[in-house]
Amino acid sequence: MHDEAALQEMRTRVVLHADRVAHPSSMEFPGNFPGEDLSWNLEEFKKNFRIVVGFIGKDDMEFDMIGVDAAIANAFRRILIGEVPTMAIEKVFVLNNTSIMHDEILAQRLGLIPIKADPRLFTFRRGANDDPTDLNTLVFKLRVQCTKNPDALPSAVHPADKYINSNVLSSHLQWDPQGEQVERFANDPCRPVIDDILITKMRPGQEIDVELHCQKGIGKEHAKWSPVATASYRLLPDIQILKPITGESAKRFQKCFPPGVVAVKPNAAGQLEATIANPRKDTVSREVLRHAEFEDKVRLTRVRDHFIFSIESTGILPPQELFGEAAKILINKCNVVKAALHASGALVAPQEI
């Protein structure tokens, strides 16, 4: 029989040992431990659930999601990567391409350029029989011809000095508004997110003339529609010093962790003593467990229901808006499952209880 302390550790911590990791997985039912009430309580969930925003940048953010199971955190990660829609180049109509890059490779490279266009203002195009309109398609033109630079110095050796348009960049894409798109996007014209993405290189006499159609899609179909460069999470490290670590030993202990994790300061007796300053910076390398002098003096754990979430947007939508869209998609999924359970009679509707 487990004592209460061991059960509490199993409930709340993933413990890292020198040769193994204890309690790494969730139970079959999250929170399934001996003597527990397994009934789900909304008020209890509200009391324990929190989101604490660390920082929000132009294209990235970090926040803490506290009080949920790993399955929920992973659902948000997967939805962000594969189910939040964006606009991306899907059709490439090649009118002329005399560059060294084959049409197929050129089309693939063009498709991976992030397009700054709010996908919420567009509809999905449903198959080949759904004609392109200003509500489901964006059109770009790419017309670039490489020529010699008449003003280049005779001693010039760099292609950018000798030639004009030797590098074909994403900035060469020109938006061709259709229908009412001029009015709809008057304050934020559609364009590539980044202007200096290299598409290909050309030399005098070579030319590219293509028309590009952008459509709405999701990352599950192709990575070019994924709105994030990365979406990841990690458990909050929790480092417990079990016995005082003082003197030169404290300095050696500090070197076992990344900078900023451990602080070494004089204690009340005037001795240098190691304390945990910022466990968030720890990479959980377990380096400290390799040293015999720290055996039984430190315990490395991770908080099971505390996730440090990181989102890096491709720039199409701000990261905080991407998380909001992911939450809406997850809510819709839950509503679909709930409706199916009601229809099958497996779940009693609230008004029937």
Side-chain angles (χ1 to χ4, degrees), residues 18 53 59 81 98 102 115 130 132 140 146 160 165-166 205 286 294 313 322 341 348 351:
V53 178
D59 292 323
I81 293 172
T98 57
H102 293 204
I115 301 299
D130 189 3
F140 285 87
C146 182
N165 294 330
S166 61
R286 294 190 275 186
F294 302 124
S313 169
L322 289 177
L341 291 173
V348 180
Q351 61 270 21

Side-chain angles (χ1 to χ4, degrees), residues 56-227:
I56 299 178
K58 179 175 178 289
D59 292 323
D60 60 338
M61 71 178 294
E62 183 178 282
F63 61 92
D64 291 18
M65 186 184 297
I66 306 167
V68 297
D69 189 74
I72 302 299
N74 196 47
F76 278 110
R77 182 189 70 85
R78 292 176 65 110
I79 291 171
L80 282 165
I81 293 172
E83 296 188 55
V84 176
T86 64
M87 298 296 290
I89 295 171
E90 171 68 359
K91 303 290 185 182
V92 177
F93 300 94
V94 180
L95 305 178
N96 190 16
N97 176 24
T98 57
S99 72
I100 63 170
M101 182 167 289
H102 293 204
D103 295 352
E104 296 82 357
I105 306 302
L106 178 64
Q108 184 185 46
R109 291 181 65 84
L110 288 167
L112 294 173
I113 297 174
I115 301 299
K116 182 70 172 177
D118 192 336
R120 294 167 293 190
L121 302 178
F122 292 89
T123 60
F124 287 96
R125 189 175 174 192
R126 305 295 181 182
N129 294 329
D130 189 3
D131 293 332
T133 69
D134 61 336
L135 296 176
N136 62 25
T137 303
L138 274 175
V139 178
F140 285 87
K141 300 288 182 66
L142 177 61
R143 294 171 178 167
V144 186
Q145 186 175 20
C146 182
T147 59
K148 291 184 178 180
N149 184 3
D151 299 324
L153 297 174
S155 58
V157 294
H158 197 282
D161 298 327
K162 295 174 63 177
Y163 313 125
I164 298 173
N165 294 330
S166 61
N167 289 342
V168 182
L169 305 174
S170 53
S171 58
H172 286 111
L173 294 177
Q174 299 298 315
W175 177 40
D176 185 13
Q178 307 293 312
E180 298 180 355
Q181 289 179 354
V182 172
E183 293 78 13
R184 286 163 55 200
F185 299 99
N187 297 326
D188 191 16
C190 302
R191 63 195 183 279
V193 171
I194 302 171
D195 286 335
D196 61 351
I197 298 175
L198 180 64
I199 299 172
T200 187
K201 296 187 176 186
M202 297 197 302
R203 290 298 180 263
Q206 297 179 350
E207 179 182 0
I208 293 177
D209 184 1
V210 295
E211 182 174 304
L212 316 169
H213 288 194
C214 300
Q215 297 177 10
K216 188 174 180 177
I218 59 175
K220 285 171 65 174
E221 184 176 349
H222 194 287
K224 65 184 178 184
W225 278 299
S226 182

Side-chain angles (χ1 to χ4, degrees), residues 51-65 232-234 236 278 280-281 306-313 319-320 323:
I51 289 183
V52 181
V53 178
F55 72 87
I56 299 178
K58 179 175 178 289
D59 292 323
D60 60 338
M61 71 178 294
E62 183 178 282
F63 61 92
D64 291 18
M65 186 184 297
S232 62
Y233 60 83
R234 59 190 178 96
L236 176 71
N278 189 355
R280 293 176 67 94
K281 294 184 177 181
H306 190 139
F307 300 90
I308 302 173
F309 218 104
S310 176
I311 301 175
E312 182 181 339
S313 169
Q320 64 272 25
F323 185 75

Side-chain angles (χ1 to χ4, degrees), residues 324-346:
E325 293 300 309
K328 292 177 184 177
I329 292 172
L330 183 57
I331 291 171
N332 289 336
K333 287 175 177 287
C334 294
N335 287 334
V336 169
V337 173
K338 185 178 178 182
L341 291 173
H342 284 160
S344 66

